[in-house]
Amino acid sequence: MLYGMTNASLVDLKIGQRTYSPDANEKKIATETSKYAHRTEVGFLLTAMKTYDTEKNEMVNVDRLFGRTLKPEDVFSQGIQVFMGKDRVLAKKRAAYYSSEIEKLLKWFTGQTQFSFYASSLIMAHDSNNMRIKWIDFTHCEPTNGKADENMIYGLKSVIKYLARI
């Protein structure tokens, strides 16, 4: 993912309002729900982030539990905006790229009614010259019996909305 990048910033967003299947037991539901109280509203959880601070010329890693502490009103300013970087022109370019790629994935999700996915992530990375995005951890899926995967659709739309604020 980061091959060929220099001083790359990276974020891992676990997508969806829930990360467990409909047939999960109560213990699994409680465990997953307790990880982030605002998941149903936000639609994703920032699970990892490292950014390159161009002013200090150093990498900044956030604690793996950082995203769980973010209130919905702070996800943009302390998460997405920080990941995009301080240069507003570059941040807008990055947001446009990531949004266009997520729109492609969203189009696929709105058109498929075979599977629902749980605990999948979007990994986004950029340096001064490159931008990349990957959908990962998509092995947790179940048949939907002809229904759209509203969990993933909501989460992807939410990420796009946050990116639009850049």
Side-chain angles (χ1 to χ4, degrees):
M1 178 79 184
L2 301 179
Y3 180 77
M5 291 182 149
T6 303
N7 299 322
S9 293
L10 179 132
V11 70
D12 179 339
L13 303 176
K14 193 154 302 277
I15 303 298
Q17 293 175 294
R18 65 184 184 284
T19 57
Y20 53 87
S21 66
D23 63 349
N25 63 42
E26 288 182 27
K27 183 179 179 185
K28 175 70 172 176
I29 293 170
T31 299
E32 292 302 311
T33 304
S34 70
K35 288 181 181 177
Y36 187 49
H38 306 290
R39 185 187 301 271
T40 57
E41 180 181 347
V42 175
F44 61 89
L45 169 62
L46 190 153
T47 59
M49 182 171 70
K50 76 173 191 170
T51 58
Y52 181 69
D53 186 327
T54 55
E55 293 171 359
K56 295 180 180 176
N57 198 30
E58 66 183 16
M59 294 304 299
V60 178
N61 290 303
V62 299
D63 181 270
R64 69 179 190 87
L65 301 177
F66 170 76
R68 296 180 187 186
T69 68
L70 294 176
K71 295 176 184 169
E73 61 269 19
D74 298 327
V75 170
F76 177 74
S77 63
Q78 295 179 30
I80 301 299
Q81 193 172 37
V82 171
F83 167 68
M84 290 297 165
K86 295 176 183 174
D87 182 319
R88 294 295 94 205
V89 173
L90 273 177
K92 284 186 179 293
K93 180 180 174 183
R94 292 168 180 154
Y97 169 77
Y98 293 134
S99 291
S100 70
E101 294 299 305
I102 296 168
E103 286 282 354
K104 292 174 189 174
L105 187 58
L106 179 60
K107 182 178 180 182
W108 181 80
F109 267 102
T110 57
Q112 74 86 24
T113 57
Q114 291 183 301
F115 299 102
S116 285
F117 295 83
Y118 306 95
S120 292
S121 290
L122 285 178
I123 304 289
M124 298 186 284
H126 59 258
D127 65 6
S128 58
N129 299 311
N130 304 286
M131 294 175 279
R132 297 182 186 141
I133 184 170
K134 300 288 181 194
W135 176 38
I136 65 166
D137 298 335
F138 44 84
T139 58
H140 301 288
C141 63
E142 294 191 358
T144 61
N145 302 318
K147 297 178 184 172
D149 185 353
E150 295 301 330
N151 183 49
M152 286 292 291
I153 291 170
Y154 182 90
L156 293 170
K157 285 181 176 180
S158 181
V159 175
I160 292 167
K161 286 179 187 175
Y162 277 95
L163 291 170
R165 293 178 59 187
I166 296 293

